[in-house]
Amino acid sequence: MSTQDAPSPELRDSRSGREELHELSRGEEKRANQDAEEGPVADYDPHISVEQRFGRNDGVAIGIQIAQEIHRLRGDLLNPDWITQRLATYERSVEERAALTGILSRENVLVLHGPEGAGRYTAALDALHQKVGTHIRQVRREPGEPFNGAEGLQGKDTGWILDLRDEGDRRHSGIGPALAEDASHLQRSGSYLAVLISTEAWERAAKGTTDLDYELPFPDSKRVLRAHLEKVTPPVEAARWLNAKKITDGIDDLVPAAVVEWAHIIREAERLEEETGQSFEELVNHVVEAAEDWRTRLLEWHNNHCDSAHRNYLLAASVLDGATAETVYAAADVLARALGETPAPHTGQQGLGVIALTDAIEADLTEEDTIAFRRPRFAAAVVDYFWADRPHLIKDFTRWTAAQTNNKDLPDEITDQLADRVIGWALDYMDRKRTTKLLREIAEQWAESLPEQASDLLTAAVLDPGTSRRACAAYLTWARRSDEEVPPRLKVALAQACERLAAAYPTMMLLRLTELAAHTESEEVLGTVGQALTVLWDLPKQRQAIQDRLKEWAAGTQEGRRTAAHHAFVHLAARTAEGGRPVLLTAAHEDAHWAWHAARWRGLLDNSVPFQKPLGKALNVWMDAAVAHSDLREQILTIFQHAVYQPQTDPVYVAERFLALNRLLYSWAPVQSSQPPTDQGYLRDQLILALHRADPAAPMSEPHAPVG
């Protein structure tokens, strides 16, 4: 039986060098003029998703989830163990599986459509697995980019998954005939393509190619539950749960994803049965209430416990789930003050002690003196209830929660778990409330004290299906604001997140990184951006796309894009590889033609005033490399000469360019009359002399060589 539909990652064509940004960039420019922290961003839909919602990670660390998802989005081979895990719970009928593999065998293309949550992703994975084993990849595409055909899907005997489930109907209205044409290319390479799409979109896109498709129905909910209990390690005996009417009534007509959640809750209930000896009837009731987020039980409890001491202790115990009673007791007082209250005095024996408070919140004290809730999913439900019940206190509560990750009384494992839980809560809140204010609040707080977690949070927000579009729009807005509006430490965390995401979304992250560089005075931010741009450049499949993008932006009519192109290039130009060689000129980057470099330097020389400091740094790197590496000298001198004068377009020197480069050269190698000539001085004079000789307005005379 299928698990939930795997999320719909925004995938990119493997021909990443042909990425097109036109549609996306127009939308982003429009959104950048909006306040991305308020209201809907309805026209932006990158459809980025992850294997699981980050808010329900079932013990999988956020950092691991991020790495796994970026790996998938890069179009790398899917992890064989991950494929095995996904298919372990897949139990479609023999006839249905045969029908899917039959279409692939005949056409090399399979279009799976059906209702949301029907299990299209897992069905595609299974069908491809039967044909090519674990040699399966996802098609790589930037958000908003059309699928350009199977010719770019390189790789013999490979299974490809093209996920279009969440994309607009119009974007792929003619994809049916195109897929039919792709069959011959796939047949020659022995490869197969599975396309996931909504039924509505396919009805518009098929255009007579229905021999490629299969409409996937919902699987039976009971079989889904049985599979996720009995075929996941450790296995759980499903019979007694499926014989409980409250369970079968609860899962009736649910989509597979929701049934899987019930399976997770049942597993937690099984563990509690071993620890507490609760009756099966109690466990069944707990599972049903947990599936309903314990809302009825929590409402009843709050009606009976109006004392803030009780409520703050419950909330603190839920946030610090697994901490000692003493730690929770102290944290509850800090929480009270954070929420604007004066906690009850605890001198002597005044006020309630931990035993009474723990009893009041219907929890137990373990032998290790920790607080344990004996209900599945109860701690998370308490936090959800608070967010719904006290919206005016969410900001103060979140500040307190994020600060608890620095609580020295907490063991490291609880601190790490808490940071992951805070990320999940923040993304869940962002998804439900459609605002990035809380995201900004936590990221800014963590950027100072927990920079790695701040980067995790910002990265996860782009990878989560419910928050991706809003996060991407917000990041572009933040990147374009001054250091006074967005603190440099937050910008550093944002640049680090963009660096991680660049492997999956190079064009989107390139724009945000260049905007960060254009709107900061912080050396730390600039250094982080430079590092991120270097990582992006070092992705071999992305290098040509970056060159094309910077060329396009520099030649465009939008001043913001031209500035972004200049910033991106000047920061890349200042980065060095081993031995001080510019990364843009290392052997690994021979595909970067000197004319491209000359054009980028020309743009900087035309705008030298606002780029004076980074431009000087970059020129120093290149001229130092020309001195130290004879094999680079001629190339560098040629690039600078053509940066000043381009015969195809310039009838004479542009004086501003010449003067700008002249100033930079003398800043790099100042004239020192009392000192003997240096290698730097000789090279400076050589370049200036070459520039004079190339001047079409004065070719006949040689200038007096400056004193070196």
Side-chain angles (χ1 to χ4, degrees):
M1 200 59 52
S2 169
T3 65
Q4 74 249 45
D5 253 358
S8 52
E10 181 52 43
L11 310 169
R12 284 156 304 284
D13 193 304
S14 61
R15 293 167 298 172
S16 52
R18 297 177 57 187
E19 296 163 323
E20 293 300 330
L21 186 65
H22 303 299
E23 178 181 348
L24 176 64
S25 61
R26 285 195 296 269
E28 289 196 316
E29 291 293 341
K30 175 182 177 182
R31 288 182 297 277
N33 295 323
Q34 303 173 353
D35 183 355
E37 299 182 18
E38 295 291 350
V41 191
D43 62 334
Y44 185 62
D45 191 11
H47 326 295
I48 306 168
S49 294
V50 293
E51 169 57 18
Q52 296 170 331
R53 287 296 302 275
F54 282 90
R56 299 289 191 192
N57 65 3
D58 298 305
V60 180
I62 294 292
I64 295 175
Q65 285 185 280
I66 289 172
Q68 290 174 340
E69 182 59 14
I70 290 177
H71 179 84
R72 285 205 305 160
L73 292 173
R74 285 175 52 185
D76 296 333
L77 282 171
L78 299 181
N79 186 290
D81 292 338
W82 179 85
I83 294 174
T84 300
Q85 180 185 9
R86 285 302 302 265
L87 296 182
T89 53
Y90 183 74
E91 287 188 357
R92 294 279 181 173
S93 68
V94 174
E95 294 77 13
E96 184 172 84
R97 297 179 71 194
L100 300 186
T101 55
I103 296 173
L104 277 177
S105 299
R106 184 178 69 249
E107 307 290 346
N108 288 74
V109 178
L110 166 65
V111 178
L112 279 166
H113 64 99
E116 182 178 357
R120 289 163 291 178
Y121 191 96
T122 315
L125 201 62
D126 178 69
L128 292 172
H129 184 256
Q130 293 185 62
K131 303 299 295 185
V132 298
T134 59
H135 206 256
I136 302 172
R137 301 176 184 268
Q138 295 190 165
V139 180
R140 302 186 57 175
R141 294 164 52 245
E142 283 274 3
E145 181 186 25
F147 176 62
N148 293 320
E151 293 86 353
L153 305 182
Q154 304 298 328
K156 184 175 177 59
D157 299 325
T158 301
W160 296 91
I161 297 177
L162 173 62
D163 197 330
L164 307 176
R165 285 173 297 175
D166 294 334
E167 299 197 11
D169 294 350
R170 297 178 182 177
R171 185 175 299 169
H172 305 288
S173 60
I175 198 173
L179 291 172
E181 293 179 8
D182 288 338
S184 58
H185 170 81
L186 294 166
Q187 289 166 358
R188 287 192 298 271
S189 64
S191 297
Y192 303 88
L193 173 64
V195 182
L196 316 180
I197 195 169
S198 70
T199 296
E200 295 76 14
W202 179 242
E203 288 175 350
R204 295 178 175 86
K207 300 187 184 305
T209 58
T210 53
D211 52 331
L212 304 177
D213 74 29
Y214 187 94
E215 183 171 6
L216 205 65
F218 277 127
D220 178 72
S221 58
K222 294 178 183 177
R223 294 181 63 186
V224 173
L225 185 64
R226 182 183 296 278
H228 280 270
L229 291 179
E230 296 184 344
K231 297 196 173 185
V232 176
T233 305
V236 170
E237 174 58 50
R240 64 171 182 163
W241 294 100
L242 289 171
N243 287 331
K245 189 174 187 303
K246 289 183 178 179
I247 299 295
T248 55
D249 286 348
I251 66 173
D252 190 35
D253 295 329
L254 291 182
V255 299
V259 178
V260 172
E261 280 297 301
W262 279 68
H264 291 323
I265 297 170
I266 288 173
R267 288 180 169 278
E268 292 184 37
E270 287 264 339
R271 289 195 293 270
L272 287 175
E273 182 181 29
E274 296 176 2
E275 296 171 3
T276 65
Q278 298 178 59
S279 69
F280 181 66
E281 184 178 356
E282 288 179 299
L283 293 176
V284 168
N285 290 332
H286 284 173
V287 169
V288 174
E289 289 191 87
E292 297 172 351
D293 218 17
W294 290 101
R295 187 57 55 90
T296 301
R297 182 71 192 92
L298 285 170
L299 174 60
E300 179 184 335
W301 186 91
H302 280 81
N303 284 335
N304 294 330
H305 295 79
C306 298
D307 190 302
S308 287
H310 292 153
R311 294 180 174 183
N312 289 331
Y313 192 76
L314 172 65
L315 192 54
S318 299
V319 171
L320 306 180
D321 193 19
T324 64
E326 182 180 1
T327 301
V328 173
Y329 193 70
D333 278 0
V334 179
L335 173 60
R337 286 189 286 271
L339 299 181
E341 301 174 346
T342 302
H346 297 307
T347 55
Q349 293 204 53
Q350 297 184 66
L352 296 170
V354 294
I355 295 177
L357 285 170
T358 303
D359 179 69
I361 66 172
E362 301 177 4
D364 294 333
L365 283 174
T366 68
E367 293 181 357
E368 293 78 24
D369 200 33
T370 60
I371 297 174
F373 293 105
R374 302 307 189 186
R375 300 183 177 97
R377 298 282 174 95
F378 192 75
V382 170
V383 178
D384 287 344
Y385 185 93
F386 176 83
W387 275 352
D389 194 45
R390 308 282 171 163
H392 60 291
L393 296 177
I394 287 175
K395 187 173 184 179
D396 294 330
F397 167 70
T398 304
R399 283 178 174 170
W400 171 84
T401 305
Q404 292 307 301
T405 54
N406 288 318
N407 190 329
K408 303 304 181 184
D409 294 328
L410 290 176
D412 289 343
E413 60 270 19
I414 292 183
T415 299
D416 293 340
Q417 292 172 10
L418 177 58
D420 284 358
R421 293 174 72 203
V422 170
I423 290 175
W425 292 335
L427 299 188
D428 184 58
Y429 180 82
M430 181 177 166
D431 184 20
R432 287 189 280 128
K433 300 298 184 180
R434 302 176 64 80
T435 175
T436 59
K437 285 186 175 180
L438 187 62
L439 177 76
R440 163 79 182 265
E441 182 79 24
I442 299 174
E444 190 169 329
Q445 183 174 340
W446 278 356
E448 295 290 341
S449 58
L450 297 168
E452 291 186 11
Q453 283 83 351
S455 176
D456 281 348
L457 171 63
L458 295 174
T459 304
V462 173
L463 297 174
D464 188 278
T467 60
S468 57
R469 62 188 179 91
R470 191 168 301 278
C472 286
Y475 297 172
L476 189 59
T477 300
W478 298 354
R480 287 173 169 169
R481 290 183 173 171
S482 68
D483 291 341
E484 289 72 29
E485 295 173 290
V486 177
R489 288 302 304 163
L490 177 56
K491 288 185 175 181
V492 168
L494 179 56
Q496 291 169 339
C498 290
E499 177 184 329
R500 298 167 75 182
L501 291 162
Y505 299 104
T507 303
M508 291 176 64
M509 296 308 121
L510 176 63
L511 177 60
R512 283 149 185 79
L513 287 168
T514 53
E515 292 292 354
L516 278 168
H519 297 88
T520 187
E521 299 295 328
S522 167
E523 290 296 328
E524 186 178 13
V525 175
L526 291 173
T528 309
V529 168
Q531 171 63 26
L533 289 171
T534 303
V535 170
L536 186 57
W537 178 263
D538 280 338
L539 298 173
K541 293 182 179 180
Q542 307 303 337
R543 197 171 302 127
Q544 185 61 50
I546 295 172
Q547 293 179 44
D548 293 345
R549 194 62 56 231
L550 296 186
K551 180 179 179 180
E552 176 189 324
W553 289 354
T557 59
Q558 299 178 23
E559 183 178 354
R561 285 298 168 88
R562 292 197 302 271
T563 301
H566 298 330
H567 272 286
F569 179 78
V570 77
H571 283 87
L572 280 171
R575 308 296 294 186
T576 58
E578 185 177 356
R581 303 171 74 94
V583 295
L584 293 177
L585 297 178
T586 57
H589 306 305
E590 291 175 350
D591 51 347
H593 191 265
W594 66 263
W596 180 84
H597 292 296
R600 305 288 74 75
W601 279 106
R602 188 179 309 120
L604 285 168
L605 293 174
D606 283 337
N607 297 271
S608 60
V609 174
F611 293 93
Q612 185 173 1
K613 190 173 182 179
L615 180 55
K617 181 180 179 181
L619 180 126
N620 291 352
V621 166
W622 283 46
M623 293 303 293
D624 286 344
V627 172
H629 303 283
S630 58
D631 60 311
L632 293 178
R633 190 169 303 150
E634 182 179 353
Q635 182 183 13
I636 289 174
L637 296 183
T638 300
I639 287 171
F640 284 134
Q641 181 177 328
H642 283 81
V644 172
Y645 173 64
Q646 184 183 31
Q648 293 84 353
T649 59
D650 299 330
V652 296
Y653 269 168
V654 175
E656 289 81 2
R657 288 181 203 155
F658 177 81
L659 293 174
L661 183 58
N662 203 61
R663 286 192 296 269
L664 290 167
L665 288 170
Y666 277 99
S667 177
W668 169 67
V671 174
Q672 299 178 358
S673 56
S674 61
Q675 301 293 329
T678 63
D679 291 341
Q680 287 83 358
Y682 278 126
L683 194 61
R684 176 202 64 209
D685 294 346
Q686 181 182 347
L687 177 54
I688 292 176
L689 183 61
L691 290 171
H692 277 291
R693 285 174 172 169
D695 185 352
M700 61 293 179
S701 62
E702 290 197 6
H704 296 290
V707 178

